[in-house]
Amino acid sequence: MATGALLLAFALLGVAVAQRVVTVQNGPLVRTEGSHVTIWCNVTGYKDGLKQDFDWSMYLPTAPGREIRIVSTAQSDYAYAVYAQRVNSKEIFVERLSDDSAVLHITRVQARDQGVFECYTPNTDGQYLGFYSARTNLTVIPDSLMVTAPPQTLSKVEGDTLQLNCEVSRTTTQHTHLSVGWYLRSPEDAAAPPQELVTLSRDFVLRSGGPYRQRMAAGDLRLDKTSATSYRLTIHKLQPVDQGLLYCQAVEWIQDPDGSWFAMTRKQSEKTQLRIQPTDRDFSIQVSTERRSFMAGEPLELRCTIEAQNVPERFFSVSWVFSSSSVAVVGPSAVPVLGSEYVAREAAGLMTVRKESPNVYLLKLQRLSPRDTGKYICRVTEREKTPTGDFIDRSKRSRNVQITVQPLKSNITVSLSVNSSEVLEGDRIQLTCSVHSATSPLSVVWQWTDKQSAGPIQEIASVDRDGTVVHGANYRERSGYGEIRVERVRADVFSLSLYNALPEDEGQYRCTATQWIENITETETNWEKIGEQSASKTVTVKTVESSFMVSASSRTPSISFGDSFDLLCLVKPRHNPRVPTSVTWRFMPAGARAEDEDQREFKDLVTFTREGTLQWGEQLLGLGTRTTVDRSHSNTNFRLSVTRAGRREAGKYQCTAILWRRNYDNSWSRVANRTSNLLGISVLQPESKLKVLKNNQSLAYQEDSRVRINCSIASQTSQDSQHAVLWYIRRASGSETDELLLRIERTGAFEYGAYADEERLRRRVQTERLSPRLYALTLNRAESSDSGTYYCLVEEWLSDPDGAWYRLSRDTSGYTKVLVKQPEPQLRVDELENNVTVEESSSIKLGCNIFSQSSPDSRFSVFWYVERSDGEDIEDQPGEEDDKRDCVFSIGHDAIFGNGNCSPPDDNGPNSRFQFERTTSDQYSLTIHGARPADAGRYYCHVEEWLLNPRNEWYRLATNDSGVTIVNVLQQVSTIHSVVCSTESLFYFIFFYPFPIFGILLIALLVVRYKGRNNNKSQEGKNGAPLLWIKEPHLSYSPTCLDPPALSLHPGSVD
């Protein structure tokens, strides 16, 4: 419709240039499965004189956009594989009606043929103008038509009535019509077309065949539809011409879109054999045979049929005559009597004469020969008894049946096909030898020779006329194991199968077919060869070794600890059960030096044996728990998978494959060995994410303080990471190397560095882990030598899949500059200057007051110095360079007198004129008794402030001098008092020695008196007064006789 509209539009527009138009039969076309489908295609509007080609394709409903090519008039290999076989077998073909018209034939349509069919005509005009293809839709429905009638044999008498029923049904959903008719086929002439009796057309109109129109008009022939599916044939007044085979035929029709009706399905019922006995005694004879021209060796069947009424009740004898000579006679008793020339032939089973039914007699000759050519006649004699008791013979003869037997000439042709001209070792070689135009028994011989036909011809096997197979000597043992199979598929098709092809099977294979005919004489039977043909094919056996390849691959040659990797071993060609492969994965651990690799050997990991089992080697990856292996169904891909890989899995891998051949005696032969390329697998440590805070800072502390430094980890690689922390110090003096102070292992154990031992820090330094990512270093009782730059070095440790710990990375923190200072010197001594004038022999008191000190724990060393001037007034020139400074007195911070380099001019000891006093911790005084003129000078005290450092060592922090005290000593005139007191020996003689002497005398007197009284009076002690002992205290008197005693401290007396 669309194409017609387009043509009309072009005509109205007045288009002068012809345009190509392709038209196909309008659709949709509905056809039943198994029916013969035709689709016509026409093309117009092309240049005259050019023959057009037609390409047919189809599109499935499930894939409307995918073209499937079917058949083409231009290309013999146009069809896709799905239709190629049907096209080659002529089940699908294109019938060309003219140069521009063709019809697509599908002789047996299938359900899968449903879809859109496209007819395409290639361009032959040099330019494209118009439409080059057209489409129609084909719908294939199941064949649901059923026609049933019981098979039966009926005998009727002329003039009887016959009724036959036929059941016709269908289940299609399409709108279809049925036509039902009855037909009569003559039993004598099978090739004659059937005679139509009566038909109910698709339009529900009754019609009859030519000879039966008058009888239907007279009402003697009826066809009635008795139910929805039942049809009844009625024939009144049967006539002898109604005798034969009756059957019912139904046709299912559907109307196509173009209005035409198409017979989708045509089916026949079973046949009813109808015999009609004439009412008279006459009989007729008919001789039937399938054909009249035969080839020598073919069988001949002649049937003589007697057509008469009440044949079983009548007596007939039948004689078979050939060329005026009797062949056989079959009497009323059905016992054949053979002619003399046919006795031996019947005894050999090559001739059969029998009565098949009361009115049918058979003559069958097996294996015709040219001498059987001639005329055959059936003579029938009826013997009838008359009322008088006499027998009357009435004979009739059939027409001559001319039989021609042509001498047998071999017209056989042999074609040899092979499953593949090139087979892989271990596959099957399948040869099929087809003999065409064979009419007598065949024998076949299979032979082999090399490709060049230079070697001897070897017989593989032979198949004789009876189908007996005999194997050649060189192939007998192999065939005994079932490796060679020879069989006769059909009478004219033979096959040779060689299983488990070997390289030695390569060569030319020849099939020689011989046709035989059997010659039978009265004395013997022999076979004669009447023809021989052969065909050959060359078969190449491709050795598996030539294409045997092994390769290994991996997508992840470098992985991190804990990752997985897969190794793939690809074996080519594909797996053949007769030529299996054993594959072994091998491994050489990493760590070998380059010069040692050649000496090291690969160790087997796992082997896939040729039987399909798994065998583990001596080398196991991951203790065998993290390694899996598998292979594909085709046994071409062998995979080795390792999960949670560690150092032990790093190294070189390779797979080796061994090709095995299974011999016909079930033994195995090693064919080839291949080793794949090396696969290097590097198992690397994971990329570190360790980061330590790098905040630089400066800290200042006083000595004896506590110094705290933090080391904070900002990020780490894994939650399972463990850390080792090393604390370093860079001395403030600028040493070349950093000193290790302390190391904390990942397990929590720690050890001191050499620096801690040198500086005696073991007791003062400590480290803490405040949290998994925070560490602290503490210096107790810091001292100035602890000054320097501190930082931490963090080592990140992880456990590999084998449980071994490894150091992943290191990172340092920022630098913390620590300055440990001594206390700021704040020592200040009273700097007030004054003048003191004393008389000779009097006391000079010098004070030393400390107004401020640097630390409450400070201790002081105090020195008194005097500067004297020779011959000059000390007040006039106090600062001359020729002044001489002398140390008068000193006491150290450890309370030891005479500390330092101070050497007083006067003697130390009890006779010292110096008296030292410390009334408070910051007030000191020195008194010089017995002043002398030489004591005059400029006095001042020198104070040194000492502190105890954390090492319990004293160090001098600061020094300061007091103000100057100018001392003047006035000389006095000599008196008794001065003379006595001026000499120490005289002083002791007068004032000290008399008292001890007097005491000793007194004690001696008392002791003598006591002893005397004990001797005279034993009782005197009881009545007298007790003795008193008076202990005189020790007093220290002042140097003058007049001064009261005073308590004094002398050098060496103060602890």
Side-chain angles (χ1 to χ4, degrees):
M1 296 297 292
T3 305
L6 183 62
L7 290 174
L8 180 59
F10 283 142
L12 293 176
L13 291 175
V15 179
V17 180
Q19 295 191 8
R20 178 184 292 262
V21 176
V22 178
T23 57
V24 295
Q25 188 171 350
N26 290 338
L29 303 178
V30 180
R31 301 294 184 262
T32 56
E33 188 175 357
S35 63
H36 187 143
V37 176
T38 59
I39 305 174
W40 56 263
C41 179
N42 299 330
V43 58
T44 59
Y46 61 92
K47 290 183 179 180
D48 296 336
L50 295 177
K51 187 177 182 179
Q52 301 299 303
D53 287 313
F54 298 86
D55 296 342
W56 285 93
S57 305
M58 68 95 60
Y59 301 85
L60 294 175
T62 57
R66 186 177 63 188
E67 177 187 14
I68 302 177
R69 295 183 176 181
I70 301 176
V71 66
S72 172
T73 59
Q75 305 178 39
S76 59
D77 58 347
Y78 180 78
Y80 282 177
V82 67
Y83 281 102
Q85 184 176 0
R86 297 172 65 185
V87 172
N88 294 334
S89 64
K90 299 303 181 180
E91 181 181 337
I92 299 176
F93 63 93
V94 177
E95 178 188 4
R96 181 182 290 277
L97 303 179
S98 63
D99 288 346
D100 55 5
S101 179
V103 177
L104 172 67
H105 289 263
I106 304 178
T107 58
R108 290 184 58 84
V109 71
Q110 301 178 7
R112 62 177 181 175
D113 296 331
Q114 177 170 302
V116 176
F117 281 73
E118 180 182 47
C119 174
Y120 172 77
T121 60
N123 185 16
T124 58
D125 303 331
Q127 62 179 348
Y128 285 90
L129 186 63
F131 298 91
Y132 292 82
S133 65
R135 296 186 179 184
T136 188
N137 190 6
L138 174 64
T139 301
V140 180
I141 63 175
D143 183 5
S144 62
L145 179 64
M146 296 184 63
V147 180
T148 58
Q152 54 186 334
T153 300
L154 299 177
S155 295
K156 297 289 183 178
V157 178
E158 184 179 357
D160 290 347
T161 298
L162 173 68
Q163 285 189 342
L164 297 175
N165 292 320
C166 178
E167 294 287 333
V168 179
S169 64
R170 70 187 188 281
T171 60
T172 180
T173 59
Q174 301 290 332
H175 179 71
T176 60
H177 289 192
L178 288 177
S179 63
V180 179
W182 286 91
Y183 293 84
L184 172 65
R185 183 179 291 276
S186 174
E188 289 82 7
D189 190 2
Q195 176 66 48
E196 181 184 6
L197 299 181
V198 61
T199 300
L200 181 63
S201 69
R202 63 175 180 269
D203 300 326
F204 219 70
V205 176
L206 276 176
R207 70 171 184 268
S208 63
Y212 290 90
R213 290 177 184 173
Q214 185 176 1
R215 295 175 66 180
M216 187 179 71
D220 294 337
L221 180 63
R222 293 178 56 88
L223 177 59
D224 301 311
K225 184 175 183 181
T226 58
S227 67
T229 60
S230 297
Y231 298 83
R232 185 172 61 196
L233 171 68
T234 304
I235 303 177
H236 300 288
K237 301 178 182 181
L238 285 173
Q239 299 177 9
V241 295
D242 299 331
Q243 181 173 277
L245 298 175
L246 295 173
Y247 62 91
C248 170
Q249 176 176 287
V251 180
E252 185 176 9
W253 299 80
I254 191 169
Q255 191 173 24
D256 288 341
D258 59 358
S260 63
W261 287 89
F262 180 79
M264 295 193 302
T265 307
R266 188 185 307 269
K267 289 188 178 180
Q268 298 176 358
S269 67
E270 296 287 340
K271 295 178 176 60
T272 297
Q273 185 173 3
L274 177 62
R275 293 190 179 95
I276 299 175
Q277 181 179 357
T279 56
D280 56 4
R281 302 295 296 176
D282 194 11
F283 65 89
S284 61
I285 304 171
Q286 290 185 1
V287 176
S288 63
T289 181
E290 292 183 356
R291 52 195 174 95
R292 300 190 179 190
S293 179
F294 296 89
M295 296 294 297
E298 293 182 341
L300 167 65
E301 289 187 0
L302 293 172
R303 283 180 173 81
C304 183
T305 303
I306 302 174
E307 297 178 355
Q309 294 181 359
N310 298 324
V311 173
E313 300 176 0
R314 300 165 70 176
F315 300 94
F316 293 97
S317 63
V318 177
S319 299
W320 289 100
V321 179
F322 167 69
S323 298
S324 303
S325 63
S326 176
V327 177
V329 177
V330 180
S333 61
V335 176
V337 178
L338 302 177
S340 60
E341 298 180 1
Y342 294 91
V343 174
R345 192 168 183 177
E346 192 272 340
L350 300 179
M351 177 179 174
T352 302
V353 179
R354 70 172 180 266
K355 183 179 180 180
E356 289 187 331
S357 65
N359 63 332
V360 178
Y361 294 82
L362 172 68
L363 171 61
K364 184 175 183 179
L365 300 177
Q366 301 284 356
R367 299 178 186 174
L368 293 175
S369 62
R371 67 175 181 269
D372 294 324
T373 300
K375 297 179 180 179
Y376 288 83
I377 301 173
C378 173
R379 181 184 293 117
V380 178
T381 301
E382 182 183 10
R383 175 165 290 187
E384 183 180 357
K385 188 176 181 180
T386 64
T388 61
D390 297 330
F391 289 92
I392 300 176
D393 292 337
R394 289 186 300 172
S395 297
K396 286 188 178 183
R397 55 172 290 177
S398 67
R399 294 181 180 179
N400 295 332
V401 178
Q402 180 67 39
I403 299 298
T404 303
V405 180
Q406 298 178 358
L408 184 63
K409 295 181 180 179
S410 179
N411 295 323
I412 64 172
T413 58
V414 178
S415 62
L416 184 60
S417 61
V418 63
N419 58 339
S420 176
S421 60
E422 180 178 288
V423 298
L424 188 64
E425 178 183 359
D427 287 349
R428 177 171 61 100
I429 300 176
Q430 177 72 43
L431 294 163
T432 302
C433 183
S434 300
V435 183
H436 307 283
S437 304
T439 58
S440 60
L442 299 170
S443 65
V444 169
V445 177
W446 292 97
Q447 295 174 323
W448 173 92
T449 184
D450 56 20
K451 282 187 175 182
Q452 292 76 22
S453 300
I457 299 176
Q458 299 182 14
E459 181 176 329
I460 302 174
S462 63
V463 183
D464 62 11
R465 297 180 300 271
D466 300 328
T468 304
V469 178
V470 179
H471 292 278
N474 294 335
Y475 293 87
R476 191 166 298 139
E477 180 181 1
R478 187 173 173 186
S479 63
Y481 287 96
E483 293 289 317
I484 299 178
R485 183 177 180 181
V486 178
E487 59 181 336
R488 183 167 63 182
V489 181
R490 294 196 304 270
D492 55 355
V493 178
F494 302 84
S495 67
L496 169 64
S497 300
L498 283 82
Y499 299 92
N500 192 18
L502 303 175
E504 296 80 12
D505 295 331
E506 180 176 295
Q508 290 188 14
Y509 288 83
R510 180 180 298 275
C511 169
T512 302
T514 304
Q515 187 176 11
W516 301 84
I517 187 172
E518 186 179 16
N519 289 328
I520 301 176
T521 63
E522 291 79 0
T523 58
E524 63 180 1
T525 300
N526 54 24
W527 290 91
E528 178 184 355
K529 181 171 71 173
I530 61 173
E532 183 177 279
Q533 293 291 333
S534 63
S536 62
K537 283 285 184 181
T538 301
V539 177
T540 301
V541 179
K542 185 178 181 181
T543 62
V544 182
E545 182 180 3
S546 62
S547 60
F548 187 41
M549 296 176 58
V550 179
S551 61
S553 62
S554 173
R555 295 184 179 180
T556 54
S558 179
I559 61 173
S560 300
F561 282 150
D563 291 346
S564 302
F565 65 89
D566 292 340
L567 304 178
L568 187 64
C569 182
L570 182 62
V571 180
K572 294 181 180 179
R574 294 179 62 85
H575 172 68
N576 186 336
R578 303 294 299 183
V579 190
T581 306
S582 62
V583 177
T584 302
W585 276 106
R586 310 185 72 197
F587 171 66
M588 182 171 68
R593 295 178 300 178
E595 59 271 13
D596 297 338
E597 284 191 3
D598 295 337
Q599 301 178 2
R600 299 186 62 182
E601 296 182 354
F602 281 86
K603 294 185 178 180
D604 294 346
L605 293 175
V606 63
T607 299
F608 294 90
T609 64
R610 62 173 182 258
E611 292 83 6
T613 60
L614 202 63
Q615 181 178 348
W616 292 96
E618 57 185 14
Q619 178 75 28
L620 291 178
L621 298 179
L623 301 179
T625 60
R626 303 194 305 271
T627 305
T628 58
V629 290
D630 61 354
R631 62 181 176 185
S632 61
H633 294 292
S634 59
N635 287 345
T636 56
N637 295 340
F638 298 82
R639 184 172 60 185
L640 173 68
S641 301
V642 178
T643 59
R644 300 185 64 246
R647 287 188 178 91
R648 296 177 56 183
E649 286 73 39
K652 294 183 178 180
Y653 294 80
Q654 67 176 190
C655 67
T656 60
I658 301 176
L659 196 64
W660 300 87
R661 179 191 296 124
R662 187 173 185 175
N663 302 319
Y664 57 82
D665 57 355
N666 289 329
S667 63
W668 291 95
S669 299
R670 187 169 177 172
V671 179
N673 186 4
R674 295 287 187 270
T675 301
S676 72
N677 52 297
L678 294 179
L679 292 179
I681 299 297
S682 301
V683 183
L684 307 176
Q685 297 177 358
E687 184 178 354
S688 175
K689 298 180 181 178
L690 176 67
K691 288 185 179 180
V692 182
L693 289 180
K694 300 182 180 298
N695 296 332
N696 297 328
Q697 57 182 344
S698 297
L699 302 176
Y701 296 91
Q702 295 289 335
E703 272 195 337
D704 208 24
S705 299
R706 188 175 72 169
V707 177
R708 187 184 188 90
I709 305 172
N710 291 332
C711 180
S712 179
I713 300 173
S715 63
Q716 60 188 22
T717 306
S718 171
Q719 294 181 353
D720 300 327
S721 297
Q722 295 187 8
H723 307 101
V725 180
L726 293 81
W727 288 97
Y728 284 90
I729 181 175
R730 183 179 299 165
R731 296 187 180 183
S733 59
S735 60
E736 295 181 356
T737 59
D738 298 341
E739 302 286 347
L740 176 63
L741 182 62
L742 184 66
R743 176 186 178 93
I744 306 174
E745 299 293 345
R746 60 176 181 81
T747 58
F750 64 90
E751 60 179 344
Y752 293 98
Y755 180 79
D757 293 331
E758 293 176 5
E759 300 296 330
R760 298 187 295 277
L761 291 173
R762 283 180 178 262
R763 295 184 180 180
R764 296 190 297 114
V765 67
Q766 68 180 32
T767 182
E768 300 175 84
R769 183 184 179 188
L770 304 178
S771 68
R773 295 190 181 186
L774 182 60
Y775 296 82
L777 176 71
T778 303
L779 293 174
N780 296 312
R781 302 194 64 196
E783 55 187 66
S784 58
S785 61
D786 296 332
S787 297
T789 302
Y790 292 80
Y791 65 93
C792 68
L793 174 65
V794 179
E795 296 178 348
E796 185 177 22
W797 291 75
L798 285 175
S799 175
D800 64 13
D802 297 322
W805 288 90
Y806 63 94
R807 187 179 68 191
L808 177 61
S809 62
R810 307 173 77 179
D811 194 16
T812 58
S813 66
Y815 296 100
T816 300
K817 187 175 182 180
V818 176
L819 177 61
V820 181
K821 301 183 295 183
Q822 296 176 352
E824 291 292 335
Q826 297 181 3
L827 177 64
R828 191 166 64 87
V829 184
D830 184 12
E831 298 179 353
L832 183 62
E833 298 183 358
N834 56 6
N835 293 325
V836 177
T837 302
V838 297
E839 295 181 353
E840 186 178 3
S841 300
S842 62
S843 298
I844 304 173
K845 189 171 184 178
L846 302 174
C848 186
N849 297 328
I850 300 174
F851 288 166
S852 63
Q853 61 188 40
S854 304
S855 171
D857 299 327
S858 299
R859 292 190 181 182
F860 305 99
S861 294
V862 182
F863 301 84
W864 273 275
Y865 291 94
V866 61
E867 297 177 356
R868 297 184 177 88
S869 300
D870 296 337
E872 298 290 340
D873 191 356
I874 59 176
E875 293 183 2
D876 296 336
Q877 298 179 359
E880 293 292 335
E881 293 180 359
D882 56 355
D883 290 347
K884 181 179 181 182
R885 188 181 76 166
D886 294 325
C887 181
V888 178
F889 183 83
S890 68
I891 182 171
H893 62 278
D894 52 1
I896 297 177
F897 295 104
N899 189 20
N901 297 323
C902 183
S903 299
D906 294 328
D907 296 334
N908 296 326
N911 296 326
S912 175
R913 295 185 301 123
F914 301 104
Q915 180 180 352
F916 171 77
E917 292 181 291
R918 186 178 67 182
T919 56
T920 61
S921 60
D922 54 358
Q923 292 185 359
Y924 297 83
S925 66
L926 177 65
T927 303
I928 303 176
H929 298 283
R932 302 172 183 170
D935 294 333
R938 298 164 55 89
Y939 289 85
Y940 63 93
C941 70
H942 175 74
V943 179
E944 295 179 351
E945 186 176 17
W946 292 75
L947 285 176
L948 188 66
N949 64 12
R951 300 185 184 181
N952 291 326
E953 296 177 352
W954 291 95
Y955 68 93
R956 184 173 61 191
L957 177 63
T959 60
N960 200 358
D961 294 339
S962 66
V964 177
T965 301
I966 302 174
V967 177
N968 297 312
V969 180
L970 301 178
Q971 295 183 358
Q972 295 180 353
V973 180
S974 299
T975 60
I976 295 176
H977 177 270
S978 62
V979 171
V980 173
C981 293
S982 61
T983 304
E984 185 177 359
S985 59
L986 182 59
F987 173 77
Y988 282 107
F989 179 77
I990 296 175
F991 294 101
F992 182 74
Y993 293 144
F995 291 101
I997 295 174
F998 177 74
I1000 293 172
L1001 292 176
L1002 181 58
I1003 291 171
L1005 180 61
L1006 291 176
V1007 171
V1008 172
R1009 183 179 178 187
Y1010 176 73
K1011 290 184 178 181
R1013 291 183 67 184
N1014 286 337
N1015 292 332
N1016 294 327
K1017 295 181 181 180
S1018 58
Q1019 299 291 330
E1020 184 177 356
K1022 299 179 181 180
N1023 298 325
L1027 299 175
L1028 297 176
W1029 180 264
I1030 300 173
K1031 184 176 181 180
E1032 185 175 353
H1034 174 70
L1035 298 176
S1036 177
Y1037 298 96
S1038 63
T1040 62
C1041 302
L1042 300 178
D1043 293 333
L1047 181 63
S1048 64
L1049 298 176
H1050 304 284
S1053 62
V1054 180
D1055 294 333

